[in-house]
Amino acid sequence: MKLPLRLLPLLAFGLSALPSLNLSAAPIDREALVRRHEVRVTALDPEAALSVGNGDFAFTMDATGLQSFETLYRDKGVPTETLSTWGWHSFPNPDGFTLADTMKLYDFHGRQVPYAALEKSPAGKYFRENPHPAALGQLSFIYDGRELAPADITGVNQRLDLWTGIVTSRYLLGGEPVEVVTIAHPERSLVSVRVRSLLLQTGRLEVRFHFPYAYRASVKNKPPLIWDQPGAHRTTIADKGKNHASLERVADTTSYRVRLAWDGVAGLAEVAPHDFRLRTEAVQGGQLDFTCEFAPADPLANVITGDVLSLAARALPTFDETRAASTQGWRDFWTRGGAVDLSLSTDPRAHELERRIVLSQYITKVHYSGHFPPSECGLVTPTWFGKHNSEVYLIHSAHFAQWGRPELLENGLSWYRKILPLAQADAASKGFDGARWPKMTAVDGHPTPGGINPFIIWNFPNPIYLCELVYRAKPSPATLAQYKDIVFESAKFLASYAFFDKATGRYVLGPPLKASTESSHENETQNPTFELALWYYGLKVAQDWRARLGLAPEPRWADILEKLARPAVVDGKYIEIETEPHIYDKPTGGVPSSMLYALGYVPQTPMIDPKIMRATLDEVHRRSGGGVKRWNSWAMGQGANTAARLNEPELAVDIVTNDDPRARFKVQGFVPRPKEPDGCPAYMPVNGSFLSAVALMAGGWDGAPEGPAPGFPKNGKWVVRAEGINPMP
């Protein structure tokens, strides 16, 4: 919408000053919004790796448009990986370890409960490392018969078109122009590539398909690839024709296919074990198109649609077909979900905030929207041995429902439905009812041993919260029927875990448990504030689902809601944990902040007094020097959510626009984890918590102040045009 010049000065008063114009009613130009934040890379920069993908598959590339500098990017920045949600590998288990070998008994209010706590035992070490994501393979260029060197590449001009999901890489290789267009298919584990260069005609430029054995899984974060064990795995040509080939990959019990197709005159040659080259000396016109698909062994289960197809019946798309599919898929993504346009704002931080929003939406779609929630670096690189950490699943994925894309949240919830029997069995093995969800797990759904993992409890209510977000976005009997088992089985565990303490006449949580900050001793920790609020909200939502289904309230749940311990208060402020009351004893110095989640991520409940929470927020903020530097990592979303719900919009905006180096969003939108930026160079909880906070600020929440964008300041500097955002509870 173009405004007359005479009206431009009025924009300084913001949207609320222009009710007659009703700017919020004008549709956002989605394409213009997305395209003004397209990503440009102008150097061989290991921090600037770009990804294409669909949530179940991601291909991350360097400045060449492929993965030609795998070691450089891994050592100095963001690894160039090919990862999927379906590909997993385990090293052999010759000693026959079982999870039972990792168990240790802990006292739970007078009875002995086994927990997989023997992390450092041989069995614990094995199950922490296995299974881990399969390293599907590396695609790179060979130049004059050798691997590329950084000095070979000059004049880099790489562009990620966010609107279409297409990366175009232009550069000089040995002084000769090269153009590479890289695209991922929206529904398959597949990349298509177009290479244009006269170097193809002379055979000086070749495409390499190179396969490692596995990741060195003993490295917890950003593990290197194992290239020096060629005898431990097998790569064979299963089929080969003039313009296609099929490779069979076997590594221990892992097997998958790699299918290749190309246009033009080229040939695939095996030059060494696991090393294949697409020879191009006869290519005419300086152009080569090729497609590479990774897939489980035949029959192929399509992880996205659930269809089962034979590989023979599944034709590989051409480059042009993949480009058309990617363009349509990303156009649908951008136009059907929510959007926030800040282009009319005069606050100097508005453009950067809008960039962070757009890039975070792209990143989480590529790396975290699939049918298994991956590790905390998504499909960028395996972290925490490539395992899913379910306690942060709410932070990773709630934003999909908030931004009007509940189906992406449902992808991950479909995995929770699959592992429900395992979660029920785990609860029963410990003497509890319902479903005890694994804290840290691979796609198989089995718990990973650890000194912390078994005692975390804030993962247990998360599925209830997420199912409620789906219902709010899709309020129908079908939604209730689809997710009632997750909700009710989760609630049964919450009720079974809450212990009635006759001495105090209340239900308590723990011990053993570890609070969300993971620093407390499991045998001494009871009633953390955040977890109490989550417990209350989870059981309350479960009762609401019973009412929606025409069922009577569950009496035990009602009793717990009435008698659950309330969060502890010291000097008019909430403390993190009831059993650690001295956090404010010193007048200065930092304090934990997880108690803020109890009104932020968790909506308003009778558990929390907003006045006390405001005093708590003020104290936490004061102890950080009054600035926003402490609000980095996923605390960014934590602090902004709490500030917004407490009607502190200036602070909320300060937090989500934090420009501290630890809160830096890289050129492609990745944010490293401040505690270990080298090992976690693309920490998804930052992008997820950030998107959740901005959606809350722009789209509101139950009981929010009237008017548009209730979490943004009404200071005349912010014009927030939002559409398609679902309010939070």
Side-chain angles (χ1 to χ4, degrees):
M1 175 180 179
K2 293 184 178 179
L3 296 176
L5 292 176
R6 60 185 175 82
L7 293 178
L8 291 180
L10 296 177
L11 292 180
F13 295 102
L15 183 60
S16 61
L18 297 170
S20 61
L21 292 177
N22 195 18
L23 290 176
S24 62
I28 294 172
D29 185 337
R30 301 293 188 95
E31 184 171 358
L33 167 64
V34 173
R35 287 194 181 280
R36 63 175 166 258
H37 300 291
E38 69 177 24
V39 180
R40 294 279 186 173
V41 177
T42 57
L44 191 65
D45 180 0
E47 286 202 335
L50 304 180
S51 300
V52 292
N54 55 38
D56 282 301
F57 170 79
F59 181 86
T60 301
M61 70 201 78
D62 56 38
T64 69
L66 294 181
Q67 299 160 325
S68 305
F69 294 99
E70 181 262 325
T71 302
L72 173 65
Y73 276 59
R74 179 178 304 279
D75 291 348
K76 301 295 184 181
V78 178
T80 55
E81 306 278 18
T82 309
L83 285 169
S84 72
T85 58
W86 52 260
W88 291 83
H89 171 260
S90 290
F91 294 115
N93 182 11
D95 296 310
F97 295 127
T98 68
L99 278 172
D101 298 326
T102 72
M103 296 296 173
K104 179 180 178 181
L105 292 175
Y106 285 79
D107 178 75
F108 182 85
H109 304 286
R111 65 182 179 87
Q112 297 297 297
V113 175
Y115 288 101
L118 299 178
E119 170 183 338
K120 296 182 180 180
S121 68
K125 182 177 184 295
Y126 179 82
F127 286 110
R128 282 178 70 78
E129 297 177 9
N130 297 283
H132 49 264
L136 296 181
Q138 292 277 303
L139 280 62
S140 60
F141 285 117
I142 292 294
Y143 175 56
D144 282 344
R146 59 173 175 82
E147 296 181 0
L148 274 64
D152 295 329
I153 303 294
T154 57
V156 172
N157 181 7
Q158 190 175 45
R159 170 179 173 253
L160 167 56
D161 183 350
L162 299 164
W163 183 252
T164 63
I166 297 173
V167 176
T168 303
S169 309
R170 297 185 177 93
Y171 48 90
L172 298 177
L173 176 56
E176 292 290 336
V178 178
E179 179 184 274
V180 181
V181 182
T182 312
I183 312 168
H185 197 279
E187 297 180 350
R188 297 168 68 166
S189 300
L190 176 155
V191 287
S192 284
V193 180
R194 171 167 287 170
V195 185
R196 288 174 172 164
S197 177
L198 294 178
L199 293 171
L200 293 170
Q201 294 186 185
T202 59
R204 298 181 65 194
L205 186 63
E206 299 175 341
V207 178
R208 183 189 203 186
F209 305 92
H210 199 196
F211 302 98
Y213 167 41
Y215 287 103
R216 198 167 301 282
S218 59
V219 178
K220 182 179 72 170
N221 293 336
K222 205 166 76 171
L225 297 168
I226 299 175
W227 295 106
D228 59 356
Q229 296 185 35
H233 56 126
R234 186 173 75 250
T235 310
T236 57
I237 298 177
D239 178 54
K240 185 177 180 182
K242 181 179 179 181
N243 293 98
H244 70 273
S246 179
L247 307 178
E248 183 180 83
R249 290 275 302 132
V250 178
D252 302 310
T253 58
T254 299
S255 61
Y256 60 96
R257 292 287 185 94
V258 182
R259 301 175 65 211
L260 306 171
W262 56 89
D263 294 336
V265 182
L268 187 71
E270 182 176 5
V271 300
H274 319 294
D275 190 345
F276 298 81
R277 312 286 173 85
L278 200 54
R279 304 288 194 187
T280 61
E281 50 268 272
V283 169
Q284 300 300 313
Q287 177 172 307
L288 173 68
D289 293 353
F290 70 89
T291 294
C292 178
E293 180 173 44
F294 303 86
D298 196 16
L300 170 62
N302 185 325
V303 293
I304 296 179
T305 66
D307 298 332
V308 177
L309 303 171
S310 69
L311 283 169
R314 190 177 170 88
L316 285 178
T318 65
F319 172 85
D320 289 333
E321 289 169 341
T322 304
R323 178 171 56 187
S326 177
T327 299
Q328 184 62 53
W330 280 103
R331 182 181 291 116
D332 291 345
F333 173 82
W334 292 117
T335 56
R336 293 179 183 175
V340 169
D341 186 318
L342 303 174
S343 60
L344 298 178
S345 300
T346 59
D347 190 293
R349 302 168 295 179
H351 182 80
E352 170 61 14
L353 178 56
E354 190 183 85
R355 183 185 79 92
R356 294 179 176 187
I357 294 170
V358 171
L359 293 181
S360 294
Q361 287 178 291
Y362 179 86
I363 287 168
T364 53
K365 170 63 172 74
V366 169
H367 290 289
Y368 210 84
S369 66
H371 288 68
F372 169 74
S375 70
E376 294 185 12
C377 279
L379 297 176
V380 179
T381 184
T383 47
W384 284 268
F385 311 102
K387 305 294 180 70
H388 164 58
N389 285 283
S390 63
E391 79 278 18
V392 289
Y393 185 44
L394 173 66
I395 295 166
H396 280 171
S397 58
H399 65 89
F400 289 128
Q402 293 176 262
W403 288 85
R405 301 181 182 100
E407 69 280 358
L408 299 183
L409 168 56
E410 290 183 273
N411 286 345
L413 284 176
S414 68
W415 174 77
Y416 274 80
R417 293 175 65 198
K418 290 178 182 177
I419 69 163
L420 178 58
L422 289 173
Q424 291 170 308
D426 186 60
S429 73
K430 293 172 173 54
F432 296 113
D433 299 330
R436 185 180 185 274
W437 304 105
K439 184 272 183 197
M440 179 175 166
T441 182
V443 73
D444 60 6
H446 293 292
T448 297
I452 294 172
N453 298 346
F455 310 109
I456 292 293
I457 69 168
W458 59 290
N459 57 324
F460 301 131
N462 280 348
I464 301 177
Y465 197 152
L466 293 170
C467 290
E468 175 71 359
L469 294 182
V470 173
Y471 178 78
R472 288 169 64 95
K474 300 166 56 178
S476 70
T479 301
L480 294 173
Q482 187 171 5
Y483 296 109
K484 65 179 181 179
D485 289 344
I486 290 180
V487 171
F488 293 155
E489 292 303 308
S490 297
K492 288 178 184 178
F493 177 80
L494 300 188
S496 181
Y497 182 86
F499 179 78
F500 187 70
D501 179 17
K502 293 181 181 179
T504 59
R506 60 183 188 157
Y507 287 92
V508 298
L509 302 182
L513 69 79
K514 280 187 176 288
S516 58
T517 50
E518 303 180 356
S519 59
S520 60
H521 192 282
E522 62 270 15
N523 287 324
E524 300 171 358
T525 302
Q526 189 172 80
N527 294 335
T529 293
F530 173 44
E531 284 82 343
L532 286 170
L534 261 181
W535 235 252
Y536 185 97
Y537 183 67
L539 287 173
K540 173 62 169 61
V541 168
Q543 291 283 49
D544 292 343
W545 276 57
R546 290 185 64 85
R548 291 165 186 165
L549 288 164
L551 302 173
E554 171 58 47
R556 178 172 169 81
W557 302 355
D559 194 51
I560 295 172
L561 288 171
E562 179 183 352
K563 300 174 183 175
L564 184 63
R566 268 35 183 178
V569 177
V570 172
D571 296 333
K573 301 175 287 291
Y574 290 112
I575 57 176
E576 182 190 26
I577 303 166
E578 178 185 289
T579 46
E580 296 187 8
H582 303 293
I583 63 172
Y584 300 119
D585 283 1
K586 295 181 180 179
T588 59
V591 294
S593 61
S594 75
M595 54 278 193
L596 299 178
Y597 314 166
L599 181 57
Y601 287 130
V602 184
Q604 178 67 62
T605 68
M607 302 291 283
I608 296 298
D609 183 328
K611 292 182 180 179
I612 298 175
M613 185 59 80
R614 178 171 284 105
T616 308
L617 174 63
D618 290 346
E619 181 69 7
V620 171
H621 194 57
R622 180 189 71 80
R623 286 173 176 264
S624 66
V628 296
K629 290 185 177 181
R630 71 151 291 138
W631 304 109
N632 55 68
S633 191
W634 56 276
M636 179 179 290
Q638 164 211 326
N641 270 305
T642 302
R645 287 187 187 267
L646 290 173
N647 196 27
E648 300 283 353
E650 294 281 359
L651 177 57
V653 165
D654 287 346
I655 291 172
V656 294
T657 58
N658 184 5
D659 62 356
D660 183 78
R662 294 171 298 174
R664 178 174 64 95
F665 285 62
K666 296 180 182 180
V667 63
Q668 78 287 70
F670 293 153
V671 185
R673 188 179 193 223
K675 290 183 179 180
E676 42 196 333
D678 294 332
C680 298
Y683 193 51
M684 294 294 135
V686 183
N687 302 97
S689 68
F690 166 83
L691 284 174
S692 182
V694 173
L696 180 106
M697 294 162 63
W701 60 95
D702 294 350
E706 294 294 329
F712 278 83
K714 302 301 185 287
N715 58 10
K717 297 180 181 180
W718 291 96
V719 178
V720 182
R721 300 173 60 211
E723 59 190 29
I725 306 292
N726 291 321
M728 283 290 273

